Amino acid sequence: MSAINEALRAAAEQFGTPLYVYDAASITRQYQKLTTAFTSHPTRFFYACKALTNVAILRHVLSLGSGLDCVSINEVKLGLHAGFAPENILFTPNSVTFEELTEAKNLGVNLNIDNISLLERFGAAFGGSYPVCVRLNPHIEAGGNYKVQTGHIDSKFGISIHQLRHLERVVKSTGLHVRGLHMHTGSEIKDVGVFLRGLAVLFDAAGRFPDLDFLDLGSGFKVPYKPGDTETDISSLGQQVAAAFATFEQEYGRPLECWFEPGKYLVSEAGYLLVSVAVVKQTTATVFAGVNSGFNHLIRPMFYDSYHHISNLSNPAGAERLYTVVGNICETDTFAWDRLLPEIHENDLLAFHNAGAYGFEMSSSFNSRTRPAEVLLPEDGPLRLIRQRQTFEDLLAGQLA
Ligand SMILES: *Cc1c(COP(=O)(O)O)cnc(C)c1O
C-alpha cells in the first residue's frame, strides 16, 4: 500500500473519523509547479484561502513564499494572525460595506474594489493616498458549471468592461490611484485560452490607467478529479503569459507584475476526507454504502455535482462492485452513484480524494452533527491535529436558551 494510504489509515486510527487529512508535501509540489511555470515574467501568487483557511495550512503556504487572497475581513484577520505581512494580503470582497473595506484599509492590506459606488466613496474619503486595485468583469465565459463562473453577463462580480468610461471618470474626479486591474472568471478552467483572452481585455483597459504596477488574472486553475482528467496546462500558460506581457509592456512603457490567486490548485489534491462505513444496505434497486458523514462535511457532490474519487482503504484489492455511496443526513445526500469500488463491508475506511479545497471550509453542523477534525501530514514529523473535532458542547456554545 502506498505511503499516503498508510498515513491515512494511521490518521483514522489515531484521530477517528470523519476526518480531514492534508498532505503538506502535495501543497508544496503544486506551489513549485506554479512558480516553475511562471519564471519568465515577474509573477506573484496569492493563495485564495477561502478554499481552506486552517491556520496551519496558511502558515505552510506562507513558508512557501506565497501571498494571501481574502474575501472577508475575517479571512484578512486570519492571514495576519498566521503571520502574513499586510502588503502580501489582497482583499477581494464583493457586496461589502464601505465600513468593512475601510477596516481592511486600516489593517494595511491591498484592496481590490469591485463596485463603482464603493470606489466613489473610497475616492471621496481618501483620494489617491491609498492605492487600490479594481476588479473588472471581462465578460468571458470560462466554461464548466455555471455556479462557479463569475465572468458572465448576469454575474454580480466586478465592474463591467463596458463601464470603463464611467470608471475612468470616477478615478479622474476623485484622484484615486489605481495600481492594479483584476479579473477572475471562475473555477475549473481547462482552456488556457480563457486566461489569455482575459489578459487581452486587461491590456486593453490598462491603457486608461497610467499608474499600474500589476495585472491580476485571478484563478480558476483546474485540477484532475476523475481518473483521466487533465489539469490546466500551466507551463504552456506561463510561456504564453510571459510573451503577451513582453509585447504589451513595450506599448505601456513600463514593466507590470502578473498576479494570480490560486485556491483549488494548491490545496485540492492535498486533502482527503476519511469516513467509516456505518451500513451496507441492499435495496431492490442498488447497494448503498452509508457512511458516517454527509453533505454537512463535503457539500461539493450535492452542490456542484462534483465527482470525488473514492478509495476503500480497508479492502483496496477487493473485487469491484457497484455502490451508491451516501451520507447520514436526512436529505438526499449522495456522494457517488453507481461507483465501482472494491467490495465494501461495514466499518470499512473510505477516503474521498480532492477534498482539500472547499471541503471542510464549506462544512456545517446540519442535523446537529458535529464538524470533523483536521489533521496535517507534515513534510517531516508525525501527524498533527490542527483542529479538534466539534463536540456536543460546541453545538450549545453561544445559545441563550
Ligand atoms: C475563489 C476565488 C479564487 C480561487 O479560485 P480557485 O478556483 O479555488 O482557484 C481566486 N480569486 C478570487 C477572487 C476568488 O473569489
Side-chain angles (χ1 to χ4, degrees), residues 48 50-51 69 71 92 135 182 184 186-188 218-221 261-265 358:
K50 74 174 187 283
D69 182 59
V71 294
T92 305
R135 178 173 187 168
H182 168 277
H184 170 68
S187 205
E188 313 226 332
S219 176
F221 301 129
E261 303 153 354
K264 181 176 282 189
Y265 191 81
Y358 312 108

Side-chain angles (χ1 to χ4, degrees), residues 98 113 117-128 170 173-176:
F98 184 65
I113 301 179
S117 75
L118 273 185
L119 274 172
E120 283 172 340
R121 284 188 72 179
F122 196 86
F126 309 112
V170 170
S173 70
T174 57
L176 268 169

Side-chain angles (χ1 to χ4, degrees), residues 88-401:
N88 294 329
I89 294 180
L90 175 61
F91 183 40
T92 305
N94 71 89
S95 300
V96 285
T97 60
F98 184 65
E99 288 66 33
E100 185 168 336
L101 196 64
T102 311
E103 193 179 350
K105 172 193 169 285
N106 292 338
L107 294 171
V109 302
N110 296 291
L111 303 181
N112 192 1
I113 301 179
D114 93 326
N115 179 340
I116 286 190
S117 75
L118 273 185
L119 274 172
E120 283 172 340
R121 284 188 72 179
F122 196 86
F126 309 112
S129 66
Y130 199 90
V132 295
C133 176
V134 175
R135 178 173 187 168
L136 298 176
N137 182 345
H139 300 304
I140 286 174
E141 304 279 328
N145 189 319
Y146 208 64
K147 273 188 197 157
V148 299
Q149 289 188 34
T150 56
H152 55 77
I153 195 75
D154 291 323
S155 171
K156 67 169 179 169
F157 296 100
I159 296 170
S160 167
I161 40 155
H162 303 304
Q163 292 173 286
L164 273 185
R165 191 68 195 101
H166 188 187
L167 175 58
E168 205 178 6
R169 285 202 163 91
V170 170
V171 169
K172 287 228 168 85
S173 70
T174 57
L176 268 169
H177 176 174
V178 177
R179 71 175 289 245
L181 296 179
H182 168 277
M183 66 158 201
H184 170 68
T185 51
S187 205
E188 313 226 332
I189 307 171
K190 239 184 295 194
D191 172 14
V192 300
V194 170
F195 291 97
L196 294 163
R197 287 200 292 282
L199 184 56
V201 172
L202 290 191
F203 286 158
D204 248 9
R208 299 170 189 246
F209 303 94
D211 304 317
L212 295 177
D213 298 318
F214 65 87
L215 297 176
D216 183 335
L217 299 189
S219 176
F221 301 129
K222 187 180 161 23
V223 295
Y225 278 84
K226 283 184 195 159
D229 256 7
T230 48
E231 72 176 32
T232 310
D233 184 352
I234 52 152
S235 69
S236 156
L237 180 63
Q239 285 164 11
Q240 296 187 64
V241 163
F245 264 94
T247 310
F248 169 74
E249 283 170 354
Q250 290 185 345
E251 220 176 278
Y252 193 71
R254 281 189 308 112
L256 292 184
E257 284 183 353
C258 179
W259 290 13
F260 284 105
E261 303 153 354
K264 181 176 282 189
Y265 191 81
L266 292 180
V267 298
S268 175
E269 287 172 278
Y272 300 83
L273 172 60
L274 303 181
V275 300
S276 304
V277 177
V279 296
V280 175
K281 180 175 189 174
Q282 183 99 45
T283 66
T284 46
T286 187
V287 182
F288 287 102
V291 304
N292 65 345
S293 181
F295 72 62
N296 52 327
H297 298 158
L298 180 63
I299 202 172
R300 298 188 73 260
M302 292 305 298
F303 195 45
Y304 301 119
D305 264 331
S306 307
Y307 178 102
H308 283 265
H309 192 66
I310 302 173
S311 47
N312 183 351
L313 297 178
S314 301
N315 187 20
E320 290 196 329
R321 301 189 63 187
L322 267 189
Y323 293 95
T324 298
V325 181
V326 295
N328 57 12
I329 289 302
C330 286
E331 260 267 22
T332 301
D333 179 19
T334 310
F335 286 112
W337 281 105
D338 296 342
R339 194 69 70 82
L340 270 178
L341 290 167
E343 181 156 358
I344 294 177
H345 304 100
E346 293 180 357
N347 293 321
D348 275 2
L349 178 66
L350 306 187
F352 293 102
H353 295 234
N354 278 89
Y358 312 108
F360 182 89
E361 213 52 40
M362 291 175 96
S363 68
S364 73
S365 51
F366 186 45
N367 280 197
S368 295
R369 294 197 180 273
T370 54
R371 294 166 84 190
E374 293 178 288
V375 163
L376 183 69
L377 172 60
E379 286 178 274
D380 43 46
L383 290 165
R384 185 149 68 83
L385 186 65
I386 57 173
R387 188 191 302 265
Q388 287 176 334
R389 184 177 303 289
Q390 250 189 347
T391 62
F392 178 70
E393 288 66 38
D394 292 331
L395 297 180
L396 285 174
Q399 294 200 47
L400 305 169

